[in-house]
Amino acid sequence: MDGRGGGGNPSHEYEWPGAGADTFSLFVGLGITTAQGSGADGEASSASAPPVAHGDDVIKRRALEARAACQLLHNHKWIREFKFVEPRVKLNHMYKYIIEKAKTMKSEGVTPSVLDIGCCMGTDLRQMFVDGVTIPENSVGIDCIPEYFDIGHKMFAGTGPQYTPVLRNCNALDDAQVDSAVTTPSGTAPPYDIIYTGAFLHLLDYAGAEHVASTVRRLLKPGGIFFGRTLSSSQASDTGIMDTMASCGNVKLLIFTAASIESFLHRFGFTKVSTSASAPDAQWSFPIDTMLSFFCTLAL
């Protein structure tokens, strides 16, 4: 569900900002475009075309097509600002550690199982495949808006099955739906080694966040990793619902501070909690001025 919020004015468009380094690296890793400038679209770069510029053309066309399809469903700011194309899992302050942890597990003969709650188009799962964190057979993404799945598959078309995630329609607040959706294609049932929620918790009310935390605790192995990101504000002193005027209109968001999310996670049995604050990667208006990434493990 990655940062969704509010409606908006469909006529207000953001220009394509160019593929950032992480986005370009993902498309290269998936084999959609290459550092030499050819793309899986069957295009070949001209002798005068810079490789990165050509690769950006491939990504730009796919991103524009995906945005147009998404805007038939919603016109959220994460759509207008092309955030769906970026592998924002890499922004978590502990992601490099998670990559190394996965390498260690695989050296011991275990491929980590991963559940992505609020997976949207599966961009972050694809990044985890490229980085060797997990494989499609051992992972599942769930989201309550399944139309995004096909849009994502088209945007990332041309990749092999080793980079194609299994995405399932599921309301994360409905235990019965969750339980029917979270067995991996290889037949691995919970508990999981790793559970990820992108920019998701701030879209819920407090009871919804509690429900998701309880679900994660139920589906995660003792010692397993829970990590993600959530919007915050330096003006907040505790957890609460905050009104924000975004470019898409008034949006109500659940705001955690670094201290309150640590307390919240400890209350649900998570330990080794750490957070890191950075500027939001989308254009939110005051008072939203912080993106918190969080990491924790389930107590043994």
Side-chain angles (χ1 to χ4, degrees):
M1 293 186 190
D2 246 347
R4 300 167 216 175
N9 179 1
S11 66
H12 182 67
E13 294 291 344
Y14 288 81
E15 297 294 329
W16 170 245
D22 287 343
T23 299
F24 187 73
S25 176
L26 173 60
F27 275 72
V28 170
L30 294 171
I32 295 171
T33 188
T34 73
Q36 288 70 45
S38 61
D41 296 36
E43 301 176 3
S45 60
S46 67
S48 60
V52 173
H54 175 80
D56 186 73
D57 287 343
V58 173
I59 299 168
K60 176 181 179 180
R61 185 179 65 256
R62 291 188 177 211
L64 286 169
E65 291 172 352
R67 184 174 71 171
C70 285
Q71 287 181 314
L72 296 176
L73 303 169
H74 304 284
N75 192 41
H76 297 321
K77 59 191 287 80
W78 71 274
I79 294 172
R80 293 198 308 280
E81 296 179 20
F82 297 100
K83 296 306 175 184
F84 56 84
V85 77
E86 301 173 8
R88 292 187 284 171
V89 66
K90 296 181 72 172
L91 299 178
N92 187 281
H93 65 297
M94 294 295 286
Y95 185 59
K96 290 183 179 179
Y97 166 81
I98 292 168
I99 293 173
E100 293 305 313
K101 176 70 173 178
K103 289 180 180 177
T104 299
M105 292 177 66
K106 288 192 285 188
S107 72
E108 298 170 350
V110 177
T111 298
S113 55
V114 174
L115 174 64
D116 182 352
I117 300 177
C119 64
C120 192
M121 299 181 193
T123 302
D124 285 335
L125 272 175
R126 288 176 169 91
Q127 183 66 56
M128 286 190 249
F129 300 156
V130 169
D131 291 332
V133 173
T134 189
I135 57 176
E137 292 81 3
N138 260 33
S139 59
V140 173
I142 60 173
D143 200 290
C144 64
I145 307 178
E147 291 85 356
Y148 290 139
F149 303 164
D150 284 341
I151 296 171
H153 290 320
K154 290 176 182 177
M155 185 171 69
F156 293 109
T159 61
Q162 73 273 27
Y163 297 129
T164 303
V166 173
L167 310 176
R168 293 177 178 150
N169 181 18
C170 176
N171 180 350
L173 302 181
D174 185 317
D175 289 343
Q177 287 190 31
V178 170
D179 289 344
S180 67
V182 294
T183 298
T184 70
S186 65
T188 301
Y192 278 85
D193 296 299
I194 300 170
I195 296 180
Y196 170 68
T197 60
F200 174 60
L201 290 179
H202 56 251
L203 303 177
L204 308 171
D205 58 19
Y206 194 76
E210 289 183 311
H211 192 110
V212 169
S214 179
T215 297
V216 171
R217 178 180 61 189
R218 180 169 63 87
L219 298 180
L220 190 63
K221 291 179 180 178
I225 293 170
F226 175 39
F227 76 114
R229 298 161 61 246
T230 190
L231 286 171
S232 186
S233 171
S234 61
Q235 305 301 309
S237 59
D238 203 348
T239 309
I241 300 294
M242 182 173 287
D243 286 334
T244 175
M245 286 302 296
S247 60
C248 52
N250 184 264
V251 182
K252 293 184 181 295
L253 298 171
L254 176 64
I255 296 302
F256 284 99
T257 65
S260 68
I261 197 168
E262 289 180 20
S263 175
F264 176 81
L265 292 169
H266 281 307
R267 184 159 62 85
F268 282 89
F270 296 100
T271 187
K272 299 181 181 178
V273 179
S274 67
T275 63
S276 179
S278 61
D281 57 348
Q283 298 177 21
W284 289 93
S285 299
F286 181 84
I288 303 302
D289 58 10
T290 307
M291 178 64 80
L292 284 177
S293 65
F294 63 88
F295 169 95
C296 57
T297 61
L298 185 60
L300 296 170

